[in-house]
Each structure stands twice: as C-alpha cells, then as structure tokens.
C-alpha cells in the first residue's frame, strides 16, 4: 500500500472533490475490523460504551431511526450510526495509518496538529437502512469547517445496497449555507442533480475514498441481503473549537491519542 498520493492524484481530488484511494485495508485487517464492528453492535467488545454514541436504524415501536445518544441500545446488527470510534484501539490504529497522515498533512499543513471531528460507523443493515438526503458535511457548532472525510467500505458497497452517491466537482460552492448541517432543501437537491452526472461510489470491502466535506453526497436504503457497513472518519485542524468550548481528540501531532492507551 502506497503511503503518499501523487501530484496527479491531488489534482484530481482538487478538481473533483473526491479521490478513490483503492484497497487500504488488507484482507486480514478488514476481517478484524468487520468482526470488531459486529462485536461492538452485539455489546461484546471490551469498551466503555458510555463514551460511544449509538443510534438504532429502526427504533422498536416507531420503526424510525432512534436517538443518537451515548451507550449501547441492545444486541443487534441493526444500528444505523455509531460514533466516537476513536475510543476503540482497532479503529484508532486504522485512522492513524501513514497514508491518512500524509493526506491530513497536505490538506492542513505539515506542522498542523489534526483532530478527529467524528469517527463513525455508518450502516445500512440488510433490507433496511435509512435514506440520507443530499447534503454537504458542515457543522455550524464549529468555529471552522472540517475539510475532509475518509470513507471506508467494510462490505461491498453497491447501488443496490445503498452506496454513497456524489456530484463530482460540486464542492466549490455551499448550496444551503444557512442549514446548520449542510442539508439541502428538496428544490436545491433537484436543481443540483437535474443535469449532473451523479457518480455511485460502488466499492469493494476494504476500499476507501477521500471526500471533500463540501462535496454533495447522499445515499439510499439497502435493498439486498448484504449489509452495507462503512467507516467514515472526518479529520480537521485540531485548533477547531465547538460553540460550547469543546476541543477534539488529536489524531496526528503533539498529544495524539495512542491505541495502546485509549
Ligand atoms: O455512508 C453514507 O451513506 C453517507 C455517510 C456520510 O454522509 C458521511 O460519511 O459524511
């Protein structure tokens, strides 16, 4: 696995707002991460679950996604979103791969410490899943926008099981800047996609894509018996501060978290 990108790859990323990084997770590493993810959902990972935000894909009783709150919500593979995975040594070690360090250094500057805004499992359980409408990744509670996300397929991601869709090259403009989390109004999404060449990011398990956070993206439900598990890690300048004064866990640079001691 190469640990740097070429100038040509950077040119592609800057023009298109995304770059396929290929298979970053080897087969054995992938198997460990897949098992770990299922263990976390099933409540059998040796983790402090009070630090992990977990959201069910279908809340019993409502059939809708449940609240995104800390703590385990039951032994099931039907979680939609699990965040704070930097507290898991396997995921932290993965997030600190040299290739990702190289990408962060190029985007934020060699000497800039880099933090994680979110380390998130995003799942479309078999025959379930929740549509995610067109949006750009922004969080208005932060004093600046995080710029990049690295999205890793933990299962084959296909059109049928709800792979991520993007509009290449549309990351230079904010489409709905007044929405606190970058979600678009239906008419904005319609205008964006009407004549656009939508790219479906079909990927093999273990493959990664680098996404500019302002690249419009969305995803559909899973119409297959194969889950669509994925890990989405958003990296930002560690100087970023939230409106409530919170700072974030450091991935690269002084004070970086270490997998041996999380
Ligand atoms: O995994 C998905 O379907 C979309 C994830 C997403 O919006 C993100 O990683 O920012």
């Amino acid at each position: 696995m190469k640990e740097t990108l070429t100038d040509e790859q950077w040119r592609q990323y800057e023009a298109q707002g995304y770059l396929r990084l290929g298979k970053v997770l080897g087969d054995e590493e992938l198997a460990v991460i897949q098992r770990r993810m299922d263990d976390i959902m099933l409540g059998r990972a040796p983790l402090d679950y009070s630090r992990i935000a977990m959201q069910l894909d279908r809340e019993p009783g409502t059939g809708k996604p449940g609240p995104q709150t800390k703590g385990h919500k039951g032994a099931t593979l039907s979680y939609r979103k699990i965040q704070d995975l930097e507290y898991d040594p396997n995921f932290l070690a993965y997030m600190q791969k040299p290739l990702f360090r190289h990408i962060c250094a190029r985007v934020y500057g060699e000497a800039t410490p880099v933090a994680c805004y979110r380390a998130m499992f995003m799942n479309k359980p078999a025959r379930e899943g929740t549509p995610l409408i067109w949006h750009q990744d922004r969080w208005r509670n932060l004093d600046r926008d995080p710029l990049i996300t690295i999205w890793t397929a933990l299962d084959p991601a296909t059109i049928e099981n709800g792979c991520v869709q993007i509009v290449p090259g549309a990351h230079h403009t904010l489409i709905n800047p007044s929405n606190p989390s970058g979600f678009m109004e239906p008419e904005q999404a319609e205008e964006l996609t009407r004549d656009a060449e939508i790219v479906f990011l079909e990927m093999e398990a273990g493959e990664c894509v680098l996404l500019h956070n302002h690249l419009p993206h969305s995803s559909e439900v899973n119409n297959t018996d194969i889950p669509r598990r994925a890990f989405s890690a958003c990296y930002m300048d560690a100087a970023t501060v939230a409106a409530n004064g919170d700072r974030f866990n450091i991935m690269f640079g002084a004070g970086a978290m270490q997998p041996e001691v999380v």
Side-chain angles (χ1 to χ4, degrees):
M1 177 73 227
K2 280 186 59 184
E3 294 182 354
T4 57
L5 300 179
T6 63
D7 288 345
E8 178 49 32
Q9 285 178 304
W10 281 112
R11 271 193 290 277
Q12 273 179 37
Y13 168 71
E14 277 147 25
Q16 299 293 310
Y18 79 106
L19 182 73
R20 288 177 176 274
L21 301 175
K23 206 155 184 317
V24 172
L25 269 175
D27 290 345
E28 257 174 54
E29 253 182 318
L30 172 65
V32 169
I33 289 270
Q34 286 171 328
R35 232 183 355 257
R36 185 68 167 189
M37 205 53 248
D38 286 357
D39 282 348
I40 293 173
M41 288 192 272
L42 296 173
R44 55 190 190 203
L47 276 184
D48 177 358
Y49 279 85
S50 68
R51 297 205 284 185
I52 312 284
M54 301 183 74
Q55 180 191 33
L56 290 171
D57 189 55
R58 311 253 165 121
E59 178 84 338
T62 69
K64 294 195 179 131
Q68 300 185 31
T69 50
K70 303 266 184 193
H72 192 237
K73 311 278 183 312
T76 169
L77 297 178
S78 274
Y79 280 93
R80 171 174 183 262
K81 214 190 237 193
I82 298 179
Q83 298 196 71
D84 311 296
L85 288 173
E86 71 272 28
Y87 291 115
D88 178 278
N90 298 68
F91 281 94
L92 176 60
Y94 176 61
M95 290 178 75
Q96 292 178 327
K97 272 188 178 284
L99 174 62
F100 303 158
R101 176 189 294 270
H102 160 77
I103 290 171
C104 288
R106 167 80 181 224
V107 170
Y108 293 112
E110 285 290 341
T112 306
V114 170
C116 152
Y117 177 62
R118 69 179 181 186
M120 170 175 83
F121 172 63
M122 194 73 194
N123 188 28
K124 310 266 183 188
R127 299 279 165 203
E128 289 187 16
T130 304
L132 189 56
I133 63 168
W134 285 97
H135 65 285
Q136 295 168 299
D137 281 344
R138 306 191 70 217
W139 298 278
R140 293 280 295 286
N141 61 324
L142 302 178
D143 67 349
R144 69 199 82 184
D145 280 4
L147 298 178
I148 55 167
T149 289
I150 295 174
W151 193 98
T152 307
L154 302 181
D155 292 304
T158 63
I159 293 175
E160 295 75 26
N161 74 3
C163 69
V164 174
Q165 310 176 24
I166 55 170
V167 177
H171 57 299
H172 298 294
T173 314
L174 295 177
I175 295 171
N176 193 6
S178 57
N179 183 285
S181 23
F183 284 96
M184 293 175 206
E185 296 302 329
E187 39 305 344
Q188 292 172 320
E190 154 62 23
E191 191 184 329
L192 169 77
T193 55
R194 195 179 308 127
D195 301 317
E197 178 222 347
I198 294 174
V199 169
F200 291 83
L201 289 174
E202 293 197 291
M203 288 160 67
E204 280 178 36
E207 270 190 80
C208 273
V209 63
L210 168 63
L211 300 167
H212 190 292
N213 278 352
H214 295 168
L215 186 73
H217 57 290
S218 70
S219 57
E220 282 298 336
V221 298
N222 183 348
N223 291 311
T224 76
D225 294 322
I226 301 169
R228 198 232 64 181
R229 293 171 297 177
F231 177 58
S232 174
C234 174
Y235 298 86
M236 66 185 180
D237 186 328
T240 307
V241 185
N244 62 2
D246 277 358
R247 305 293 286 254
F248 296 82
N249 288 319
I250 298 182
M251 295 292 110
F252 302 121
M257 291 176 90
Q258 294 171 32
E260 307 76 43
V261 291
V262 277

